[in-house]
Amino acid sequence: MNLREFRDMLLAALPGKVFHNEAYQQSDNYLVWYEVGRKSLRADNKTAENCHRIAVDYFTKKEYDEFPAELEVIFDENEIAYDDVEIIYEEDTNYTHYAWSVEVN
């Protein structure tokens, strides 16, 4: 899956609420994704495989929002490796912030 396909997957899951790199003045739930690096698997002194390391941040004001669990199902269905979600309540904005690090080949 390349970065464009990853973006399209997110857009299909949350239409009109997905932003690349940053989002400004949102009043509803939204998702931001951005590349944080690349990892390489080397074999026989050459690169055998690359993957992009991506941060995915979902922001919601809805208590008990079901989308984070739905997103993890989407990651699983698309064989996207991800770290356990970090959940942070942001007092200044009243958003609950869910943050994943994922790896996309």
Side-chain angles (χ1 to χ4, degrees):
M1 175 178 288
N2 63 36
L3 292 176
R4 191 169 289 147
E5 292 167 334
F6 181 75
R7 177 206 61 198
D8 292 346
M9 178 197 70
L10 295 175
L11 285 168
L14 199 64
K17 298 180 180 184
V18 174
F19 302 89
H20 186 223
N21 293 324
E22 53 190 316
Y24 295 102
Q25 299 178 351
Q26 299 300 308
S27 60
D28 199 6
N29 58 326
Y30 65 98
L31 185 143
V32 178
W33 69 279
Y34 52 95
E35 302 91 331
V36 295
R38 198 173 84 181
K39 293 173 77 176
S40 297
L41 175 63
R42 299 190 58 79
D44 296 326
N45 293 322
K46 61 182 177 181
T47 301
E49 188 174 324
N50 287 314
C51 77
H52 292 277
R53 189 99 170 125
I54 301 171
V56 178
D57 297 301
Y58 175 68
F59 298 87
T60 184
K61 291 186 179 181
K62 181 180 178 184
E63 191 169 13
Y64 308 114
D65 194 324
E66 296 175 8
F67 183 74
E70 293 169 12
L71 185 59
E72 289 182 355
V73 169
I74 292 167
F75 290 157
D76 290 339
E77 289 174 346
N78 287 279
E79 299 180 358
I80 296 171
Y82 61 93
D83 293 342
D84 288 337
V85 65
E86 292 184 45
I87 305 169
I88 306 137
Y89 178 72
E90 299 182 356
E91 291 181 26
D92 57 330
T93 62
N94 294 319
Y95 273 103
T96 300
H97 175 184
Y98 295 81
W100 296 265
S101 290
V102 304
E103 292 181 358
V104 176
N105 289 338

